[in-house]
């Protein structure tokens, strides 16, 4: 009878251990699924960053072309000014040229500001991705 009680107690302990092992196996499987989800998210964020970087580079390239065109316009205007130096000019012509030059200077400044903003935006996204990767790594 003592043997039966010991045997029953051992069986109960074995059942309890088997339940603990099963629970740990289930948790491990869930953790693996979470890990796969995190890997997909990290990949997705990496791809998004690459797309944003490519878009930034395209925009910078476009802005560089615009700046070259503006510089050529400004140079052409300077040459025109040199050729027409001796001619009479009305105040309206001078004012129109000043307005155009001011507008071009503003366009160049806006293009430079946009490039700075994009750089800051990309740096912020990189920091966010890095932080999220670190947070998710510590979760695992």
């Amino acid at each position: 009878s003592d043997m039966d009680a010991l045997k029953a107690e051992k069986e109960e302990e074995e059942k309890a251990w088997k339940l603990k092992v099963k629970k740990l196996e289930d948790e491990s499987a869930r953790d693996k699924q979470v890990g796969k989800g995190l890997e997909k998210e990290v990949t997705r964020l990496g791809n998004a960053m690459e797309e944003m970087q490519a878009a930034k580079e395209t925009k910078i390239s476009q802005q560089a072309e615009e700046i070259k065109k503006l510089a050529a316009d400004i140079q052409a205007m300077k040459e025109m000014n040199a050729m027409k130096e001796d001619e009479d000019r009305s105040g309206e012509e001078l004012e129109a040229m000043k307005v155009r030059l001011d507008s071009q200077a503003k366009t160049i400044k806006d293009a430079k500001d946009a490039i700075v903003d994009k750089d800051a935006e990309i740096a912020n996204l990189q920091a966010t991705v890095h932080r999220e990767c670190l947070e998710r790594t510590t979760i695992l």
Side-chain angles (χ1 to χ4, degrees):
S1 166
D2 282 345
M3 281 300 267
D4 288 343
L6 275 175
K7 191 174 181 182
E9 189 179 321
K10 281 283 187 203
E11 286 175 0
E12 284 302 312
E13 282 181 26
E14 193 174 320
K15 280 183 188 176
W17 278 107
K18 284 182 179 177
L19 279 174
K20 286 180 182 177
V21 168
K22 175 74 172 112
K23 185 178 175 188
L24 288 172
E25 287 172 346
D26 290 348
E27 286 176 7
S28 176
R30 275 195 306 277
D31 287 349
K32 284 180 183 173
Q33 285 303 109
V34 167
K36 286 180 184 174
L38 289 173
E39 285 176 19
K40 285 181 184 175
E41 183 64 9
V42 166
T43 299
R44 187 189 68 74
L45 289 170
N47 290 341
M49 274 183 51
E50 287 174 14
E51 288 173 17
M52 290 185 72
Q53 182 66 27
K56 174 192 168 200
E57 288 169 5
T58 299
K59 183 72 175 171
I60 288 171
S61 167
Q62 290 169 346
Q63 289 170 340
E65 286 303 312
E66 289 172 21
I67 289 169
K68 284 179 190 173
K69 287 177 188 172
L70 292 171
D73 284 351
I74 289 169
Q75 184 59 37
M77 289 177 77
K78 285 179 181 176
E79 290 168 7
M80 255 177 38
N81 286 344
M83 291 185 332
K84 292 183 179 182
E85 238 170 26
D86 298 333
E87 294 178 15
D88 281 338
R89 289 211 180 110
S90 70
E92 283 180 16
E93 286 174 322
L94 287 173
E95 189 58 32
M97 290 178 83
K98 182 184 179 300
V99 166
R100 184 161 178 219
L101 283 170
D102 288 348
S103 171
Q104 289 174 345
K106 184 186 180 320
T107 302
I108 289 170
K109 182 190 178 306
D110 290 350
K112 287 179 180 176
D113 290 347
I115 290 169
V116 168
D117 290 347
K118 285 293 176 190
D119 281 341
E121 186 178 331
I122 286 174
N124 190 21
L125 281 168
Q126 288 171 332
T128 300
V129 169
H130 181 67
R131 186 181 66 250
E132 285 188 19
C133 288
L134 286 177
E135 288 173 3
R136 291 174 182 190
T137 301
T138 53
I139 289 172
L140 293 177

